[in-house]
Structure formats: C-alpha cells, structure tokens
Amino acid sequence: MSALAALRRVRLILASGVIVRAIAWGLAAAGTLLIGAVLADIAAPLALGVREALLWIAGASGLCVAFALAVRDRAVLSARDVALWIEEREPALRFRLISAVELGDPRLARDVAPRRWPVLAMRRTGRALATPALIVAVIGALLVLLPAGAVARVRGPRAGDSLERAGVRSSGASRLEPLVALVIAPAYAHAAPRSIDNPATIRALVGSEIVLRGRGAAAGIFARIGNDSVSAASDSADRWSIAARAPVTPAAIELVDRGYEKIITSEPIHDAPPVVTLASPARDTVLRVARGRLSLAATASDDIALESVWFELIVSSGEGETFTFRSAELHKTPVHGKAFDLSGALSLDSLHLKAGDILHVRAAARDANDVSGPGVGYSETRAIRVARPGEYDSVALDAAPPTDEDKSIVSERMLIMLAEALDRQRPTLVHDSLVRESQSIAADQKRLRRTVGDVVFSRLGGSPSGEETVGADSPARARTMQELLARADSATSRAIDPTDFGGGEAPVIAVNTPLLEAYNAMWDAGGALEIGEPGRALPFMRRALAAIERARQAERVYLHGRAPQIVVDVGRARLQGKDKGSSSTRRPLTASDSAAQTRELRFARAMEMLDRARPAAIDSLLLLRIDALSSAPELAAALRDATTALRGDEARAAATALARARRALGGIPVARDSLSRWGVVP
Amino acid sequence: MRSRRSRLELGCRIAAFALIGWLIGTSLFPPRPIRTERAAAATIAPRLAAWTRMPPASELHVDLDTVPDPWIVDWLAALRASGHIVRWSGSPSPAAIVAEPVGDPRAHVRVGVASPNGASVVLSDDAALIDTMHVASLGALESVPLVVGALHASVGGQSLEIARPAAVRSRAVFVVGRASWEGKYVATALEEDGWSVIARFAVAPGVEVTEGAPMLDTSRVAAVIALDSTVSRLGGALAGYVRDGGGLILAGTAASAANVRAVAPGVVGGRIRHIVQPAQSIALGATGFYPVTSLAENAVPLERRDGVVAVAVRRIDAGRVMQVGYDDTWRWRMAGAEGSVDAHRTWWSRVVDAVAYVPASPDRAQRASARAAPVARLVERLGPPASASRSNTSGGPDRRILLTLIMICLLQEWSSRRLRGLR
Amino acid sequence: MFATAQYESGDWDSAPFVPANIIDTIARYTEIPVAPIGVVAPLSEERMLRYPLLYLTGHLPVRFNAAEQRNVRRFVERGGLLFVDDHDHDVDGVFHKSATEEIARAAGPLAELPNDHPLYSSFFKFDGPPATSQELNGWGDNLVHTHLLAVQREGRIAVLYSSKDYSSEWNYHPENKRFLAVDNTRFAVNLAVYALTA
C-alpha cells in the first residue's frame, strides 16, 4: 500500500468517525430532551401541542448538534490536515508525507511504512466514539425502561393518547380521569374516527357513535344520557369503555364512578339539506313558439355528502278552472362528493307544449344522509310560458316602446340641454331672439307637463288631461305638493282614509308623489321660460328630471297584470248582515321567553353557588348550556367560555364570559344618564 | 390723688407685666397637651387599635378622599362617643345607590345611582359586571333584567352596595279597544314578555272578544291600556282606579274619550301623517301619530317628535297616566327592520313599566345597607367635615396676639408719660 | 286592509272578486274598520309585511323564490296569518303538493286543525270548516274535506291551508250576495276576527 493510499484510508476512517460521533451526539441530545419530556409528562400531563412541539424541538436539537460537530471537525476531509495528523503521531516521517501531499509528488513518501496509520486512526476513532455511544446506550436503556405508553405519548403524540400516560393512581381515585372520547361518524360521511382527550363537549354528526374510554376496571362505572343508563364494559385489563349513539338533541352525558361524576355536553351536528342553485334558465321567460333545446345547468353542494342531483319539470296546461299537469325528473345523476355541477338540455319539442302551457323547471339534490335524512334541497323555480296566439305581452317584448316616464326623461333631458345652450348664448343674443327661443322650449315643456299630468291622473283613476280642463294656464294650479296630492286623491272618488293604504305607503301614492313633484317643477320651469329666463328655469327642470327618475324606480311591472279593483261601499254595507255573531274568548299566549326566565333563574342559582360549591356550579352551568344550545346559541357560547375559564381558574376570562352570558340571558340593560322621576322609559 | 391719666398708665403697666408673667409662667410650666393624630383613609384601619388606647379627649383627624369601610366609620364614631374629638376632612365623592323592583313579570330591578355629573358608574352584582354608565345629570338609572345577590356600584373610587330587592307579584294589564291589529299586537307583545293580559276587543255591537275577567283593582291590574275611544265603556271607575295608584296608558285617540279626558296628560291633536315609501322599513312613529297638545299643568313630556309632544305623562293622586300618540305601533313590529319584534315588545313593556302599579317595598329599610350611601352615613356618624388646616397646637390664646397686646400696653403707657413730660 | 299575496310562479290572481267579497262581509257583520278595496302584496317585497292577514290562492304550482321564502318566514315569525286556499280543490293537484311543500319550507309542516279550534267560534259558530259547493258537487278531488290544515306558532295559527276551494265559493261580486239565502262568506268573518284578536 502506498503512503498516499494509506493516507486516504486514514482520512476515510477519521471522517467516518467524525460523522458517526456527530450523529451519536445528536441522538444523545434528542434522546435527552425526549426523556426530559417523558419525565415532565409523567409528572404533569403535557398538552398534545406541547408534546408535538417538544418532539420537533428534540429532532431539531439533534440535527443541530450533529451538524455543528460535523462542521467543527470538517478538517478530516483535508488530506493535508490528515497528513499533519499522521506526522504528529509518526515523527519519524520528518515531514515527508506532508511534503508529498503538498507538492503532489508521491515519490517523496516512497520509503515510508504506512502500515500502522489505519490502526492509529481506528484507535482514535474508537476513543472519540466511546462517550457518545455510552450516552446513547444509556438513553436507549432509559427509553426501554420507562413506561412504553409514556414514551409513546412523546414519541408519537396524537389525540386520544391521554390514557397511555403513566402515573401513579390510587385505587380510590376517580376512573373518569383521564377520559378519551372516540367519535365514529356514520358511514355515509366517510370521515375518519376522531379522538378527543378529556372532552367537556363532544360535537358529533347525528348518527355518530361515541365511545368513551378510561383507565381502570369497568365495574361500577355507568353513563346517564337522558333517561337511559349505559354501563361500562371492560376493553382490557385496565381499560373501560362506554359506547353510545350521539343524541339527536343537545344532551348531557353524565358519567358516574362511585362518588365521582363528570358531565360532558353532547352537541349534535345536523346534516343540512343540499343547497341548489339553478344557473340556467336564469329567469322566467315567455316563448312565442316552444321549439328547440333548453339549456339546463345547476350547482349543488352539501355540508357532508351528496347522493344525487337532478332536474324536475312540471308542465301545466289549461286555463280558467281546468288545468292538467305533467311532471318528470331529468338528468338524475348519482354523485359522490360535497359539490356537483349538473348540466343538460331539454328538448322543448318532446314536451309538445301548446300555447298557454307553462313549464316549471327546478333543480333538486338529495344528500347521502341515511341516518336522519335524506335531506333534499331545491333551487328556485323558473317558469317558461308559451304565449297564446294574439297575446300581447309587453313584459316579454324587449322592443316595446318606452314607458311614459322613459319618454319624459328623454324629453326633459333634451329640454334641459336646449335651455343650457340658450343660457350660454344669452349674452350674444338680442332680447327678442332670446325670448322667442325660450318660449319655444317653454312650449315643449308645457307639452311634456301635460303628458306627465296624463300619467298621474290616469293612474289615480281620473280622466287623462283632467287637470287641464279648467284651462291651460288655470290659476287653480296646486300651490303645494300636499294640495296637489290631496286634489289628485279626491279625484279618485274613493272615500277612504289615505292611512288605510297602510300608513300612506300604497303603491299608487308612492308612484305618483314624485310624478306630482315633477309636474309642479315643470310648471315653474315653464313660467320662467315663457318670460325668457332659461337660467331661472334650469333648477326646476333638473328637479323635474330627478323626480321622474325616482318615479321610474318606483314603477314595477308585473307579469300577471293587476286584479280588477272593486271598490266596496263599506258605509252602505256596514252592519247590514242578517246574522249576528257572538262573543268569543281569546286564549292567552305562552310567554315567548318563559324558557328564558327559567334559564335566568338557573343561572342566578348557579352564580350564587359559585363561591361555596364551585364544581357543582360549573356542572349547573354546563347543564344550562345544554338547554340553551338549540334555543339560545349566544348564551350557550358564553356559557361554554365561562365553564372552560372557571375550570381553568382563569378569573378574568370567566368574568367576561359570565357578563356575556348575563346579557344573553336578560338582554342589554336599559340605561339613562340622568335621574328622572319617570325612570328609564319609554 | 392720682389723675385719670396716671391710673391709665398704671393699668397699662400692670396689664403688660401680667401678660409677660403669664407668658413666662406658661413657658416654665406648660399645660399638659391634647394629643392630636392625623391619618388618611387608607391608613386608618391599622391605627384604630392604638387610637383606642389614647388618653381621653385626644383629638383625631382623618383626611378622607374616599369613605372608609363602614366598620371603620363605626369605630371612629365609637371613639367620638367615648370622649375623643374625632374630626374628618376631605371631599369623598358623594354617591348613593337605590334599587327598586319594577313590578314586571321578568322581575327587573330599577337601579338608581346618584353621583356628581361626569362620573362613570360601574355597576355589578355578585355574579359579574352589569354595565358602565355615564352620568350626565345628577345620576344614572338602569333597568337590570337579572340580579344575582347584591348590587354593587363603583363611583370615583367609592364603593356602594345594596341588597337585591324582593320581587313583587306581577299584576295583569288590561287592554281595551276595537278588534284591530294594534290591539292584537299590543296584547301579543305583552304576553310574550310575560305579562298577564286581560283584553276586551269590540268586534260588533254587543260582540266582543274577551280574555280574562274584567276588573279595575290595583290588587290585580297593574295598568290599563286604552287603544281607542271604546275605553269610554269602562266608565268613571277608570278614573277611580287611577287615583288609587293604577296605571293608565291612553294610546292614539283614546284620550278623547269622555271618561278619561280629565285625567289625560293632554288633548289629542290632529294626526301627523308621514308617507312611507314601499321599500322603507317602518320604525316607531314613522307612519305618523297623534300629538299630545294642551298639556295639563303637571304633565311631563317624555318624547318629542316633529316639534310636538308624542308621549306625555302625569300623576293623578297615587296613579300615573301616560298618553302615547302612536296608534299603529303594530306596523313597526310587522314591517320594521330586523329585531323589530323584540323592540316592539320591549317598548310596550317599558311603557307599561313606567305607569304600572307597584306596591311599596316592605324590605326597603332592611336593604339599605351601610354601603348604600357612604358619605351620608359618614356625616351622620361623624358630623360634617372640619377644616383640614385647623391648628394642632395646644389650647390657649395665640402668643403673637399676646405679644402685640403687651407692646400696645407698654407703648400706651410710655407715650402717655412722655406727653405729660415725664421720662 | 285585505291583501292578496302575489307570488311569481303561479296564477295568484285567479279569484279576483274574493277580496271585495270578504271586505263586504266584514263590513256587513262587524264594526271593524276596513278599507273599501283590497291591495296586492308581492311576497318578494318587504312591504308584504305591512299586511298581517294575507290571502294566497291559485291553480298552478307554487314555487317561492328566495325572497318570497324569506319574507313568508319573517311574516309568520312576526305574527302574521297567511290564508292559503287551493283553487284547484285537489289534494293530488300540483297546487296542493307544491304549496304544502313550500309552506313547510318557509313556515313549518302543516297539521290538521281540530274542528273545535277557536277559529270556528271567533264570531259565527261552525262545527268545522264550512263545506263548499265545489266539494259537494264532486269537483276536483271529489272529497269533502273535514278539516283545514294549519301551521301553528305559540298556539296561534300562522298559516291556514284550505283544500276546500273557498276561492271559487267566494269569487263573485259582493252585490250578488243578496241572491243567497245563506251568506256563504260568513267564515271569512271568523277568519278576520281570529286574525285580528288571536
């Protein structure tokens, strides 16, 4: 073997030693931390998150130590340093080896005897590895000697491993601590079982199985769920378990072990029906001819799982009192998953729709709930109507002429533009021309005002242009909006109190109020234009335009038109009936919040108990929370926070949560910032 | 015989020497001093025992920024009674708390805290914090729905406490009017809030829808709500019921009925109408109301709207009458914004609370604890505050005055002699 | 104010004379203030909440859109009474199936209303829902329905559902009432009085 070959071998041995030593020290560091965590967990249970963090810290520490040592001893990779290391131990070499390495000339080390060098390296490596190997061995032995469950909790932390935790337990101690709940969701949910350590509340999908497990013998342990009682069974020598179906309503699971009790809240999660949206057809439609294909599209989603999605059709035919109906399901598709987009097409020809027929289309979805369902969700329904021959349906015709208000807007806007232009040219125009042009606009304004007047009066039931019958420029013009409204109202000859329209909100009034305002503004604008004052007219014209736009927004056109209005002569009919009724009795209502009052009492009792019997008070609050879960979720949430804080001795959090609970119970107090002899009302 | 002037000079000399002699005497043989102790509120408690062992007639002075615990005040009062001179100074925040039952079915408690303007009042009970109130004028009032144990208030570092008042039995509310949405929803709101309702709704001549036995008696009925002029069917008994302490609410046009006109807070004015757009939610009074005009002498307007009075109240002997201008609050409930059902229910319940008959609380005296009005109790036990700058030297006239007197006497005697030509 | 419910999917205005007839009847037997004309309350608009008694009828499928469903739910939650009458008088008919389904979604499931319910004695005395000529003539489902259906909240009727076709029975001009020996709209008074006082 040449000297340089021997050198390379020595380098390999030393490098291997350095790496192995670094790894060993890394393992020792990680193992020490793990053992520390195990011992700490035995002394006081560490939370799952803490254990997970400690595991990561131990791993990272080991890697850091190993890396740091490897980097520190990286010199072993250098042939020159290794040669120096050999020269140090073989002084007889007299720097021949280092010279050969540095100069790259193997002849300089031709006559050296490298036989001992690997042995030296092996010895050195062995010495370097001895200490870390010993420590790793001790750590390994400790890990073997420590309780396997305790080590497993740190080595592989997971929810539900609190039963594995080591600890001395006296025979008289409660077997309800520690406690693990395993929630097995129903098969259709395709959800993995979920473990919860020491649960205060178990939220489970309706139909789930809840398995409660604890340490110790099963004898004497039972659970009360409502009126049912379930005894514990032995899983193994030192494990008990109780299996129960998750209640459909919020309930307390009361675990009893001799004199020990523990209350767990069971909070059911109800599978909501699917949510379905019909994307196509997007709106109701009227068809002249029912031919061609109708594109259908819908989206469905469910909180747990969908089972199928389809379209539903109903075709109604006939009129008056005679109708026939046909219904069908279309494109029914089995689904696996939480969401689905369904699309398809419907041949209208195949339905043989006749004039007057109405096709109702909607999408539907069924969820996979085979426990409490299935839940079925529907989309909105679209109606596609086939027009009757000769039917004029203004709603369906895009090309229909604009409504009166639309025409008024166009015209008023044009008149404003004309008036603005005239006002701008005013300095350059002679007075006569200005007045002539202005009066021309005034004439158009007057025509427009009459049109708006026709709209107002025809809607109020009067004759069109009835307002002009006294003369085009009658001095009898209403001076105020109220006056004009009252006059218009009287024109309908309806002897009713306007408040009978529901506080003056009748549609007829709502539409006409802005139109009447426009009408008045136009009148004022016309007056200004007549005397050649376009500048003064413009504010009135703009006010008229704004009012007409408001009237347009208030207008609503219905597909089916309006029912005939029959005005009953109430005064004449009053008490003219031949029969006479008799007095009757009104049944008292149950106070809507009688349950709330009961809850208030229970809360007050629990609070009074809090100082002298804290666990009992917390249990009372837990039971109260169960009752509140369905009817008072805000209270339930506050009580959950309060009980959690009270159990954890977090006084500030508990006070805040209890204050929230009080407000949820009794409502927000009514306060007044001054003393008054009439209290805090109204 | 000595002249008058020489007698004056002699008198001045004698007086000056007597005063000098007294001063020398009191300097050589000072009188036994009266021991004076001063302490601030926070340091009183540990010193009470020592003060108790002090010789009689010692003077004790305490500076108080807050009123100490009642037992400390009692101890100081005992020291005072035993002959010590106990004085106090300072300006602890004058505050007091009072709690009365409202008489509603949910057993609300009306809590009043009197305190200086601008103060913040933190109200709590044995369970938790209830509310924080700001005082704008004289104090603050709060209607508390749920009280656990005693009520506590903290005002400017001052702690107040009062026991929860015993709940009083809730009485019925008598609703009378024509069959209408207003009647239906007023009765519904009150029943939903837990009130027991007696109702008379006129449907046709001689035909009524009734609920409960009609009666006008404060032992059974807390208040009568009249919704329209059909209240006249109750006749003159209604005014008698009010004078006995019963509550009466005259809604809409009810105040114009002949049998209640004399007790009404005002006259029903012409209805103010508002137009509500179709898309608008309806709030209380949004559709209009009947203003209360020509208010009676002792009537108090509670709510103004559009520059006129919408709600007014007055007392008639032991009873209270409220005139409410709103005649269609049902629209607010049905077509109001989110939460309007609760708001309508609460509003009507509070309106009834304001006038409802509540019997005098028998436990009022017992509940008034030592912490209910600490400053008042302090004054009661220790007297009014003394000046903090009061001298703490022993008794006797001020030496500066004596020296001045001596100088005046000697000067008088010397100038008199000089005027006579003597030396 | 008597209000007819307008919904998007069907022929909500199939009985145009019923509102006037009921208004006339209320005036004829009671002193309850009533407006001389009925109003139309679109279920899709919030202002439907301003009419605590709503009458809904039709022959065609009833499919509430989202706004209609939301408003109907709010209407019954706030204490309104929705009176639904099947103008088809056919329990196998599409109106019945679709309307009961939509009511269940918006207000809750319908249940039989006992014939001694206060509704039947609130003004006139009835032993149950009065029969209609359509039932007696064997039209529609050829059944004489002995009960009405209802959704009740807090002991009060929130939705009253009739398969008896009062919409046909009452759909005539009030002036023609004088030709009847017995006024067949008297049950409407009970309905109005119950709605106003219950």
Side-chain angles (χ1 to χ4, degrees):
Chain A
M1 187 194 299
S2 70
L4 290 183
L7 176 73
R8 282 194 290 274
R9 193 171 167 201
V10 168
R11 187 173 65 175
L12 180 66
I13 292 167
L14 289 176
S16 303
V18 163
I19 290 167
V20 172
R21 188 178 64 159
I23 291 170
W25 276 117
L27 284 173
T32 307
L33 277 172
L34 278 180
I35 287 173
V38 169
L39 294 174
D41 186 49
I42 290 171
L46 299 176
L48 176 64
V50 173
R51 284 180 281 133
E52 282 174 342
L54 282 173
L55 188 64
W56 279 101
I57 289 168
S61 305
L63 282 174
C64 287
V65 168
F67 182 73
L69 289 175
V71 169
R72 189 194 69 176
D73 296 336
R74 64 185 180 281
V76 293
L77 298 174
S78 160
R80 184 177 170 278
D81 288 339
V82 173
L84 279 172
W85 183 83
I86 294 171
E87 293 268 8
E88 193 182 337
R89 279 153 186 77
E90 294 281 348
L93 289 173
R94 304 182 66 83
F95 305 108
R96 276 176 294 172
L97 181 61
I98 186 67
S99 302
V101 170
E102 284 184 346
L103 298 173
D105 185 357
R107 287 172 302 174
L108 295 174
R110 195 169 38 198
D111 54 348
V112 298
R115 201 173 304 135
R116 280 186 63 243
W117 298 353
V119 178
L120 284 172
M122 293 286 277
R123 278 190 198 144
R124 180 69 190 93
T125 302
R127 280 202 307 275
L129 286 176
T131 307
L134 182 66
I135 292 171
V136 167
V138 170
I139 287 169
L142 279 173
L143 287 173
V144 171
L145 289 173
L146 284 168
V151 176
R153 268 170 61 83
V154 175
R155 200 184 57 216
R158 60 184 168 78
D161 61 1
S162 56
L163 293 184
E164 313 302 327
R165 185 178 158 264
V168 182
R169 189 162 51 85
S170 71
S171 59
S174 168
R175 288 173 290 176
L176 307 178
E177 300 283 349
L179 185 73
V180 171
L182 179 69
V183 181
I184 305 165
Y188 81 86
H190 301 296
R194 182 166 50 96
S195 291
I196 311 166
D197 289 297
N198 296 314
T201 298
I202 300 173
R203 296 190 76 236
L205 188 65
V206 170
S208 298
E209 188 183 13
I210 297 174
V211 182
L212 296 166
R213 293 187 293 127
R215 292 209 312 235
I221 298 176
F222 64 94
R224 276 194 291 261
I225 308 170
N227 296 324
D228 299 331
S229 184
V230 187
S231 295
S234 284
D235 272 6
S236 59
D238 193 36
R239 294 282 186 278
W240 60 263
S241 71
I242 291 174
R245 190 65 61 186
V248 178
T249 54
I253 301 175
E254 195 180 348
L255 285 168
V256 181
D257 168 25
R258 293 158 294 168
Y260 297 102
E261 282 190 4
K262 187 178 177 73
I263 293 175
I264 300 167
T265 311
S266 170
E267 208 176 309
I269 300 171
H270 293 275
D271 186 354
V275 177
V276 189
T277 308
L278 186 62
S280 175
R283 59 188 66 82
D284 294 350
T285 314
V286 179
L287 301 175
R288 278 285 178 203
V289 184
R291 287 206 194 114
R293 292 170 72 78
L294 182 68
S295 170
L296 303 174
T299 58
S301 61
D302 189 63
D303 52 347
I304 308 293
L306 285 170
E307 190 263 334
S308 56
V309 185
W310 67 96
F311 294 107
E312 277 186 7
L313 311 176
I314 298 175
V315 178
S316 51
S317 310
E319 59 184 314
E321 293 285 314
T322 313
F323 285 92
T324 57
F325 300 95
R326 289 175 284 155
S327 61
E329 289 183 358
L330 202 66
H331 300 302
K332 190 162 190 173
T333 310
V335 178
H336 299 288
K338 289 189 173 184
F340 190 75
D341 293 338
L342 180 68
S343 59
L346 171 65
S347 167
L348 294 176
D349 302 277
S350 66
L351 294 175
H352 306 293
L353 296 175
K354 299 186 297 293
D357 284 3
I358 303 174
L359 169 65
H360 298 267
V361 182
R362 69 176 178 179
R366 180 180 291 122
D367 66 18
N369 182 356
D370 56 1
V371 178
S372 57
V376 182
Y378 299 99
S379 71
E380 287 194 349
T381 302
R382 306 272 185 259
I384 293 141
R385 191 161 65 89
V386 184
R388 291 197 166 81
E391 174 180 321
Y392 179 76
D393 192 335
S394 62
V395 176
L397 294 177
D398 291 337
T403 62
D404 290 336
E405 290 92 331
D406 287 340
K407 285 191 293 188
S408 301
I409 281 184
V410 173
S411 304
E412 190 64 33
R413 194 163 280 144
M414 282 182 66
L415 291 180
I416 288 172
M417 289 165 68
L418 287 173
E420 284 173 343
L422 185 62
D423 195 43
R424 276 196 303 274
Q425 293 170 357
R426 183 177 179 160
T428 59
L429 288 175
V430 294
H431 182 69
D432 288 348
S433 300
L434 175 70
V435 172
R436 195 169 50 251
E437 289 296 322
S438 183
Q439 283 175 342
S440 163
I441 300 172
D444 286 338
Q445 182 68 84
K446 185 176 176 183
R447 177 189 53 76
L448 189 58
R449 192 190 72 233
R450 284 181 177 175
T451 309
V452 172
D454 286 350
V455 173
V456 173
F457 276 78
S458 62
R459 287 203 178 143
L460 286 172
S463 59
S465 300
E467 46 102 20
E468 299 284 2
T469 50
V470 233
D473 296 302
S474 165
R477 177 175 75 90
R479 291 294 165 206
T480 64
M481 286 301 301
Q482 284 74 17
E483 193 185 335
L484 188 57
L485 187 61
R487 194 181 299 171
D489 201 37
S490 67
T492 64
S493 304
R494 289 171 191 160
I496 52 168
D497 184 345
T499 54
D500 283 349
F501 283 105
E505 75 280 23
V508 65
I509 302 295
V511 171
N512 281 309
T513 303
L515 281 184
L516 286 167
E517 187 184 336
Y519 180 87
N520 256 4
M522 286 178 182
W523 198 302
D524 293 328
L529 288 168
E530 281 289 349
I531 57 169
E533 291 284 355
R536 274 182 52 208
L538 275 168
F540 296 111
M541 296 170 86
R542 291 191 186 110
R543 193 174 146 204
L545 177 63
I548 292 170
E549 282 184 336
R550 282 206 305 280
R552 277 179 79 224
Q553 286 160 7
E555 177 65 342
R556 195 178 160 86
V557 179
Y558 296 106
L559 182 67
H560 303 288
R562 292 186 184 280
Q565 293 269 295
I566 300 170
V567 182
V568 178
D569 190 343
V570 172
R572 192 162 63 90
R574 183 66 79 189
L575 298 174
Q576 296 304 306
K578 287 176 280 188
D579 303 317
K580 185 170 163 48
S582 54
S583 292
S584 58
T585 308
R586 179 180 189 270
R587 281 186 194 170
L589 263 180
T590 317
S592 68
D593 50 2
S594 57
Q597 287 181 42
T598 311
R599 286 197 292 265
E600 281 179 19
L601 278 176
R602 289 173 61 186
F603 179 78
R605 274 196 220 115
M607 287 297 95
E608 281 162 3
M609 207 160 39
L610 198 57
D611 282 340
R612 47 195 166 81
R614 193 179 180 88
I618 294 171
D619 282 352
S620 298
L621 291 176
L622 269 177
L623 292 173
L624 179 58
R625 175 173 178 257
I626 291 164
D627 284 352
L629 268 170
S630 52
S631 53
E634 202 179 325
L635 172 65
L639 288 174
R640 181 195 57 216
D641 295 346
T643 49
T644 308
L646 286 169
R647 278 179 167 168
D649 280 334
E650 300 161 22
R652 184 182 288 268
T656 309
L658 287 173
R660 269 173 53 215
R662 171 210 290 285
R663 295 216 163 188
L665 268 169
I668 295 170
V670 183
R672 193 167 178 156
D673 61 1
S674 59
L675 290 180
S676 155
R677 53 186 170 138
W678 290 102
V680 290
V681 291
Chain B
M1 193 171 174
R2 285 177 180 250
S3 66
R4 188 181 294 172
R5 177 170 287 193
S6 60
R7 281 203 298 273
L8 175 67
E9 287 164 5
L10 181 64
C12 284
R13 195 178 300 132
I14 291 169
F17 280 108
L19 285 171
I20 290 167
W22 188 82
L23 282 175
I24 292 168
T26 54
S27 300
L28 293 176
F29 308 101
R32 196 177 67 181
I34 295 173
R35 189 167 170 186
T36 301
E37 291 282 337
R38 302 183 69 88
T43 59
I44 298 171
R47 300 176 67 179
L48 283 172
W51 289 353
T52 310
R53 290 190 292 272
M54 281 171 61
S58 296
E59 182 176 327
L60 304 171
H61 190 108
V62 286
D63 285 325
L64 301 175
D65 48 356
T66 59
V67 178
D69 284 343
W71 68 269
I72 295 175
V73 176
D74 289 342
W75 195 316
L76 291 171
L79 288 173
R80 189 183 188 207
S82 68
H84 291 299
I85 301 161
V86 180
R87 293 197 178 91
W88 69 277
S89 62
S91 53
S93 184
I97 187 170
V98 66
E100 296 292 343
V102 173
D104 66 342
R106 299 183 65 189
H108 281 205
V109 175
R110 187 177 292 137
V111 185
V113 178
S115 69
N117 292 352
S120 283
V121 179
V122 180
L123 190 65
S124 60
D125 65 4
D126 286 353
L129 177 77
I130 295 174
D131 202 4
T132 302
M133 301 180 284
H134 179 76
V135 176
S137 174
L138 302 174
L141 279 171
E142 178 141 341
S143 178
V144 184
L146 172 66
V147 176
V148 179
L151 280 154
H152 312 273
S154 173
V155 191
Q158 197 72 62
S159 293
L160 316 176
E161 183 185 302
I162 193 163
R164 175 183 54 190
V168 296
R169 182 177 59 82
S170 175
R171 290 155 169 78
V173 180
F174 190 170
V175 182
V176 59
R178 285 192 193 88
S180 65
W181 297 126
E182 184 68 356
K184 169 189 171 134
Y185 288 112
V186 168
T188 300
L190 292 173
E191 284 184 330
E192 283 174 349
D193 211 44
W195 289 95
S196 167
V197 169
I198 298 168
R200 284 288 172 280
F201 295 129
V203 178
V207 182
E208 287 183 328
V209 174
T210 61
E211 178 182 358
M215 61 190 79
L216 283 175
D217 177 0
T218 53
S219 69
R220 307 228 181 125
V221 176
V224 174
I225 300 176
L227 299 169
D228 49 47
S229 56
T230 54
V231 69
S232 60
R233 295 177 193 180
L234 296 180
L238 187 56
Y241 161 79
V242 172
R243 291 197 169 85
D244 288 345
L248 174 62
I249 295 155
L250 301 167
T253 58
S256 58
N259 62 329
V260 295
R261 213 172 288 147
V263 297
V267 174
V268 180
R271 195 177 197 281
I272 291 175
R273 297 180 192 281
H274 296 145
I275 290 175
V276 182
Q277 296 300 323
Q280 268 184 292
S281 290
I282 294 178
L284 176 66
T287 53
F289 62 97
Y290 289 96
V292 185
T293 59
S294 309
L295 285 179
E297 199 176 326
N298 65 339
V300 179
L302 282 190
E303 186 180 325
R304 288 179 187 276
R305 193 181 282 263
D306 298 343
V308 291
V309 176
V311 180
V313 285
R314 75 184 286 203
R315 284 189 184 277
I316 301 289
D317 294 342
R320 290 172 284 190
V321 183
M322 181 182 289
Q323 188 171 339
V324 177
Y326 308 119
D327 62 336
D328 57 356
T329 60
W330 67 270
R331 294 184 195 278
W332 172 32
R333 174 189 168 107
M334 281 300 293
E338 237 18 81
S340 60
V341 175
D342 287 344
H344 174 261
R345 183 192 304 152
T346 308
W347 189 84
W348 269 108
S349 200
R350 283 164 55 193
V351 164
V352 175
D353 282 350
V355 299
Y357 172 78
V358 180
S361 178
D363 64 339
R364 189 172 182 169
Q366 290 89 332
R367 286 190 295 109
S369 74
R371 290 176 184 269
V375 176
R377 187 168 181 276
L378 180 70
V379 173
E380 181 199 5
R381 304 302 307 268
L382 300 183
S387 166
S389 61
R390 191 181 178 88
S391 168
N392 61 348
T393 55
S394 57
D398 194 325
R399 289 171 186 240
R400 286 170 298 187
I401 298 170
L402 292 177
L403 280 171
T404 309
L405 282 173
I406 291 168
M407 290 300 293
I408 290 169
C409 289
L410 291 175
L411 198 64
Q412 173 66 33
E413 193 253 344
W414 174 76
S415 56
S416 176
R417 282 167 59 84
R418 290 292 291 172
L419 285 172
R420 284 200 294 136
L422 297 178
R423 291 183 63 89
Chain C
M1 202 80 198
F2 189 84
T4 305
Q6 180 190 41
Y7 51 97
E8 297 285 352
S9 71
D11 54 341
W12 58 271
D13 52 352
S14 65
F17 293 103
V18 169
N21 213 352
I22 291 180
I23 290 166
D24 177 82
T25 297
I26 290 169
R28 201 171 282 275
Y29 296 104
T30 74
E31 55 185 9
I32 296 169
V34 59
I37 55 169
V39 292
V40 174
L43 294 186
S44 58
E45 294 180 20
E46 284 209 6
R47 67 186 169 92
M48 61 84 80
L49 296 169
R50 300 178 187 185
Y51 309 101
L53 174 60
L54 278 177
Y55 161 64
L56 186 151
T57 190
H59 301 89
L60 299 175
V62 178
R63 297 290 186 212
F64 291 153
N65 60 33
E68 289 171 339
Q69 194 179 54
R70 185 181 65 247
N71 285 338
V72 169
R73 183 176 296 123
R74 290 168 68 196
F75 176 81
V76 297
E77 281 170 0
R78 293 178 177 210
L81 196 161
L82 176 65
F83 172 47
V84 183
D85 184 58
D86 178 5
H87 209 159
D88 252 351
H89 46 90
D90 184 357
V91 290
D92 281 330
V94 72
F95 180 93
H96 177 86
K97 287 179 176 170
S98 59
T100 52
E101 190 181 296
E102 290 297 328
I103 290 165
R105 284 170 66 191
L110 288 159
E112 244 178 32
L113 190 72
N115 285 343
D116 59 352
H117 190 274
L119 170 69
Y120 300 117
S121 57
S122 61
F123 193 80
F124 294 115
K125 303 295 177 200
F126 294 98
D127 296 329
T132 61
S133 52
Q134 279 70 23
E135 286 180 310
L136 300 173
N137 291 337
W139 294 352
D141 55 19
N142 204 17
L143 293 172
V144 175
H145 299 273
T146 55
H147 290 85
L148 299 185
L149 305 178
V151 179
Q152 299 200 54
R153 297 173 67 90
E154 312 286 346
R156 299 293 198 262
I157 297 173
V159 180
L160 183 66
Y161 183 87
S162 150
S163 295
K164 300 183 79 71
D165 194 5
Y166 290 118
S167 302
S168 295
E169 185 79 354
W170 298 342
N171 193 27
Y172 57 90
H173 198 287
E175 291 296 325
N176 297 336
K177 207 173 280 178
R178 63 183 187 275
F179 301 120
L180 297 175
V182 176
D183 185 352
N184 60 1
T185 61
R186 293 185 313 156
F187 182 58
V189 182
N190 278 45
L191 182 63
V193 170
Y194 178 83
L196 281 163
T197 58

